[in-house]
Amino acid sequence: MDSHHTGEPTAKQVSGVRDLQGLWPWLPRLATLVLTVLTLDYVLNLGYFSLVTAVESQFLYTVVALMVPLVFIMWPAFSGGDRRRVAWYDVLLFLLAVGTCGYFVYNAERILDNGWEYAAPQTATVMSFVLWGLTVEAVRRAGGWPLALIVGVAGCYPMVADIMPGPIQGFPSSPSQTAIYHAMSRESVFGIPLQAFANLVIGFLLFGVALQKTGGGKFFINLAFALLGHVRGGPAKVSIFSSGLMGSMSGSVITNVLTTGVLTIPAMRRVGIGRSYAAGVEACASTGGVLMPPVMGATAFVMASFLNTPYSTIALAAVVPSLLFYLGLFVQIDAYAAKHELKGLPEEELPSLKQTLKEGWYFIFVFVLLIWMLFWLRREAIAPFYATALLLVINQILPYQRWGWRDVTDFFSSAGKLFAELITILAGVGLLVGALSVTGLSGTIANDLIYIAGGNPLVLLLMGAVTSFILGIGMTVTAAYIFLAVALAPALIQGGGMNPLAVHLFILYWGMLSYITPPVALGAFAAATVAGSKPMETGLNAMRLGSVIYFVPFLFVLNPALILQGGWQEIALVLAQALVGVVLIASAIQGYLVGIGSLSTQRLLQWPIRLMLIVGGLAFAVPGGGAMPLGHGAMFALSLALTVPALGLALWINRGLLSSRREPV
């Protein structure tokens, strides 16, 4: 299977990044190299560059100084701007950003020792205003207008907090106090989001880029084709397998779609799957990949910092929910293939499993090392650096994917673009967190939300789901998660008595749904560009295919045993119920159940049968008691009362149809 075809032009079209010419490309490459070296010095506590890595705040200022100014060089001011030439005003903004950030790097210890975040000299105050403005403009370029407007308005909120209506009223600050708090406190631009990035995310992003650039993507796609390409609906199942692994590496839905989709979507088309359905499959598979351990999206690392929990705990908790999502997707695709009698690809056209493993065994080996260091040694900060180093060494020893000089520069260019974009967005979201913190609103908004929900945990959960989804439309998932982790999570934990880890994962999952749900559905629209299908139709197909993900967050937030919190007997029981429930729901949505056949044989009876299986599956999977009005026994009885008659009726109809076909004419 040829894996050299890439979606690079589409990727550039989606991201809007400039195609830098001349000496300009060397800026992000060198900045990324310097950041990598400084991060190693910082996390390993080597002390070679203690001038900027000895004090955490100075290191954070350095991270921003290296990456945020690059945004003005890499992204044009407007979508219609010149994609090849850097405008003079962008050079000025770049130099201004370097000078401003450099000022804070130089004065970092003074800021800490003299408490400048409460009372700063005049020059520092002016510089704080400049940094504030530059951050919002950089967010606009890298993250888009909606996010820039949200963080821009939120950043100004402390200045008018005292005249806001009751629930969102807070302690006011003067413009100067607000600016210096944003620029020099540990709660705003340089708060938890950026701290999580500097301490954890950099290494994992480097590992993800290295994995892709050494042929990891090609290996996982070929492995998926070798294992599943020949079965019914094979290419669609390949999409699930390969996108799950690739998304786990890249942490980006769009990147995932544009990397694996260019291979899986044409293959799906070849076996008879329609354009929009094929694009919908890829969008769903890519969205789920970001929730798949061991390497999840950047949000998971921010979550670890918020909860003050090892990243390995977050990754372990995400295993069962992500498997439930992929099981639901797999069941739907298998049902679709069986219903439409879709075959797999001919075996002679598929890559050899033996040859694939011979050329790419070391990718599995490196993953094993990473998992061992994460879960057994608990060395989250340094694990990806060791894994990356081992990967590059083996890659250069073996003859298959050896890097040349161009590959090295390409690696640093890709990592630089990723770093500049993420660091800028996290710095911008810090403005929002800082505004809630300085006004005291982060402490009171939880009580207001509990009051609005009438103290009902289910109402709070529904409010959380809707809010996460809406914010996921206008923000990146990380930005939406951070806002809700500050504003909504305490209400669910205190008012609903829910498990903190389950609540934070619930918010993350619902924020992800905007990638596959119209009218926005960015993941589905990116897949539509690859497939040449209608974007809205693709979005609706993705929403239907990914329907299980709408239920899964409610399952684990109502019973944390699904995120491996509790005794093994309870975990085993709840997991078994969830698996059965997910299979019933997914099969009913698609209209085909393995062992029974089509659920749509009788036009009049198909909808009652399918509806009974969906509700029965939900009753089976959702735990009783707690926030639910019915207990375990009542929920189990309800599920049996709905599913047994529905299954019996479907079986009787299909058997009757089969026997009538066998009768001689």
Side-chain angles (χ1 to χ4, degrees):
M1 181 63 61
D2 180 22
S3 298
H4 293 288
H5 179 69
T6 70
E8 190 61 34
T10 316
K12 284 188 174 177
Q13 180 188 338
V14 171
S15 66
V17 73
R18 273 191 178 113
D19 184 15
L20 296 173
Q21 304 294 311
L23 293 175
W24 285 117
W26 284 98
L27 266 178
R29 290 169 192 165
L30 291 172
T32 305
L33 176 62
V34 172
L35 180 61
T36 304
V37 171
L38 291 179
T39 304
L40 280 168
D41 187 77
Y42 177 71
V43 298
L44 295 171
N45 201 21
L46 299 175
Y48 292 123
F49 302 97
S50 55
L51 190 66
V52 292
T53 59
V55 179
E56 187 186 27
S57 59
Q58 194 162 36
F59 176 61
L60 292 176
Y61 281 123
T62 306
V63 169
V64 170
L66 283 168
M67 287 296 153
V68 171
L70 294 177
V71 172
F72 301 109
I73 299 298
M74 297 173 77
W75 277 267
F78 305 102
S79 56
D82 193 334
R83 291 289 167 87
R84 296 176 71 83
R85 193 175 59 85
V86 180
W88 63 268
Y89 49 81
D90 286 334
V91 177
L92 280 182
L93 285 171
F94 167 77
L95 294 172
L96 181 62
V98 169
T100 305
C101 295
Y103 172 84
F104 287 107
V105 172
Y106 180 75
N107 288 290
E109 286 195 59
R110 214 170 278 124
I111 290 167
L112 208 60
D113 295 340
N114 300 335
W116 281 9
E117 68 175 275
Y118 303 107
Q122 188 64 36
T123 308
T125 304
V126 172
M127 287 294 194
S128 298
F129 275 110
V130 175
L131 181 66
W132 184 1
L134 287 169
T135 302
V136 174
E137 170 57 13
V139 169
R140 183 188 71 79
R141 294 188 185 206
W145 272 105
L147 182 58
L149 284 171
I150 290 165
V151 301
V153 171
C156 298
Y157 164 73
M159 296 185 284
V160 293
D162 56 331
I163 59 170
M164 300 302 281
I168 56 168
Q169 196 174 77
F171 299 109
S173 298
S174 69
S176 297
Q177 287 171 327
T178 304
I180 62 175
Y181 189 85
H182 281 323
M184 290 182 271
S185 78
R186 297 294 305 281
E187 304 292 335
S188 190
V189 171
F190 300 92
I192 284 179
L194 203 64
Q195 290 165 31
F197 188 94
N199 287 302
L200 283 172
V201 183
I202 291 173
F204 282 94
L205 290 181
L206 282 171
F207 175 70
V209 174
L211 209 51
Q212 289 184 53
K213 298 296 178 184
T214 52
K218 175 186 175 183
F219 167 71
F220 288 123
I221 290 169
N222 281 352
L223 181 63
F225 271 108
L227 290 171
L228 297 166
H230 63 284
V231 301
R232 68 182 180 197
K237 292 170 182 174
V238 166
S239 173
I240 298 176
F241 189 87
S242 59
S243 296
L245 290 168
M246 282 293 291
S248 173
M249 291 188 300
S250 70
S252 164
V253 176
I254 307 296
T255 303
N256 203 2
V257 167
L258 301 176
T259 307
T260 58
V262 292
L263 290 170
T264 58
I265 290 173
M268 282 187 258
R269 296 279 298 121
R270 278 194 58 204
V271 297
I273 296 175
R275 287 183 190 277
S276 62
Y277 195 89
V281 170
E282 180 57 45
C284 284
S286 295
T287 299
V290 182
L291 308 169
M292 174 71 84
V295 185
M296 299 162 71
T299 315
F301 299 96
V302 178
M303 188 189 299
S305 295
F306 262 110
L307 290 168
N308 198 19
T309 302
Y311 168 71
S312 53
T313 306
I314 307 285
L316 202 60
V319 168
V320 173
S322 60
L323 288 177
L324 287 175
F325 168 66
Y326 276 113
L327 173 67
L329 191 54
F330 189 92
V331 168
Q332 283 213 66
I333 286 165
D334 186 64
Y336 181 88
K339 201 173 169 185
H340 294 86
E341 299 180 352
L342 301 178
K343 306 264 190 264
L345 291 169
E347 290 209 32
E348 59 270 17
E349 293 184 20
L350 298 172
S352 157
L353 179 61
K354 185 179 177 182
Q355 187 64 25
T356 300
L357 289 172
K358 181 188 170 186
E359 292 183 9
W361 60 268
Y362 62 97
F363 294 112
I364 298 172
F365 182 70
V366 168
F367 255 104
V368 170
L369 171 72
L370 182 68
I371 291 167
W372 180 63
M373 292 193 72
L374 276 178
F375 295 101
W376 275 269
L377 298 186
R378 301 276 178 157
R379 303 296 297 274
E380 285 101 343
I382 64 168
F385 289 106
Y386 278 102
T388 305
L390 179 66
L391 173 65
L392 295 179
V393 168
I394 298 175
N395 187 71
Q396 292 307 98
I397 292 171
L398 296 176
Y400 310 113
Q401 295 277 345
R402 277 185 191 146
W403 278 7
W405 177 244
R406 188 172 178 180
D407 296 299
V408 175
T409 57
D410 188 33
F411 167 74
F412 282 110
S413 294
S414 298
K417 187 259 173 187
L418 199 58
F419 286 167
E421 185 176 21
L422 260 176
I423 289 170
T424 299
I425 288 170
L426 291 175
V429 174
L431 290 169
L432 193 152
V433 177
L436 293 174
S437 171
V438 74
T439 56
L441 193 63
S442 55
T444 60
I445 197 166
N447 295 328
D448 292 327
L449 289 169
I450 293 167
Y451 175 76
I452 292 167
N456 187 314
L458 278 178
V459 175
L460 267 174
L461 275 179
L462 289 170
M463 284 169 56
V466 172
T467 313
S468 303
F469 176 74
I470 291 169
L471 288 179
I473 290 171
M475 299 186 188
T476 64
V477 175
T478 307
Y481 164 76
I482 291 166
F483 174 71
L484 290 167
V486 174
L488 181 72
L492 289 167
I493 294 162
Q494 296 159 21
M498 293 172 186
N499 180 286
L501 180 53
V503 165
H504 282 257
L505 276 172
F506 178 86
I507 290 168
L508 167 61
Y509 270 62
W510 268 93
M512 291 296 303
L513 287 177
S514 60
Y515 277 100
I516 59 168
T517 312
V520 180
L522 290 177
F525 291 178
T529 63
V530 177
S533 60
K534 294 176 182 175
M536 197 56 70
E537 189 182 334
T538 301
L540 291 170
N541 271 318
M543 185 180 176
R544 184 182 173 194
L545 276 163
S547 52
V548 169
I549 204 175
Y550 295 87
F551 304 122
V552 168
F554 285 97
L555 301 185
F556 66 70
V557 83
L558 291 170
N559 194 333
L562 275 181
I563 55 167
L564 309 180
Q565 307 279 301
W568 69 267
Q569 295 101 329
E570 186 189 6
I571 291 170
L573 177 65
V574 169
L575 177 57
Q577 285 185 279
L579 289 171
V580 173
V582 163
V583 169
L584 288 172
I585 293 165
S587 301
I589 288 169
Q590 202 60 56
Y592 183 95
L593 183 61
V594 174
I596 288 185
S598 175
L599 303 174
S600 313
T601 310
Q602 285 281 351
R603 221 174 252 186
L604 285 174
L605 291 175
Q606 69 158 318
W607 294 114
I609 290 171
R610 290 166 74 173
L611 189 61
M612 286 166 76
L613 287 177
I614 289 172
V615 177
L618 267 176
F620 203 82
V622 173
M628 295 297 294
L630 299 175
H632 284 294
M635 293 291 281
F636 185 67
L638 175 63
S639 69
L640 288 180
L642 288 166
T643 54
V644 172
L647 292 173
L649 186 58
L651 192 61
W652 177 72
I653 290 168
N654 282 321
R655 286 277 169 87
L657 187 69
L658 190 64
S659 61
S660 69
R661 281 178 180 167
R662 283 177 181 163
E663 286 174 11
V665 178

